[in-house]
Amino acid sequence: MTKRLVRKIHSELDRPDEIFDLAAELFRILSTPMRLKIVSCLRDGEQNVSYLLSRIDTTQPNMSQHLNMLYKAGVLGRRRDGVQILYRITDERVADLCRAVCKQIEAKGSA
């Protein structure tokens, strides 16, 4: 009698549900074009709101709302410098994810 070797195939579904919950929450936070633009703009480093407004076409209240949501979610950090508030990306993996998804979509569109 021969023994049949059973190999466990690794599945994405082997991860704990918490991982999927956290990933879904991150995608929800990044689910607006405005927030993706903000993250893209901050890839080059820390910037103030005036700079972001010069690069992204929106109103100051709308920008502040999106920055606040990204900050509360831990995607962005901020610090005060005099009267200005400077924003930065706190986790480069989030910026990398945004860039990878946008590049993939752009490449697919031009194919």
Side-chain angles (χ1 to χ4, degrees), residues 41-42 45-54 63 67 84-87:
C41 201
L42 292 173
E46 189 176 61
Q47 299 294 341
N48 64 28
V49 177
S50 295
Y51 175 81
L52 294 171
L53 286 168
S54 75
M63 176 68 74
L67 287 167
Q84 295 186 41
I85 297 178
L86 298 166
Y87 289 88

Side-chain angles (χ1 to χ4, degrees), residues 16-62:
D17 285 345
E18 180 185 11
I19 300 299
F20 291 101
D21 293 342
L22 292 170
E25 179 63 16
L26 177 60
F27 285 125
R28 184 189 68 76
I29 291 162
L30 298 174
S31 68
T32 67
M34 180 65 62
R35 292 185 206 134
L36 293 172
K37 288 178 183 181
I38 290 168
V39 170
S40 255
C41 201
L42 292 173
R43 280 191 61 84
D44 294 332
E46 189 176 61
Q47 299 294 341
N48 64 28
V49 177
S50 295
Y51 175 81
L52 294 171
L53 286 168
S54 75
R55 302 289 316 267
I56 300 170
D57 185 29
T58 190
T59 63
Q60 190 276 329
N62 190 40

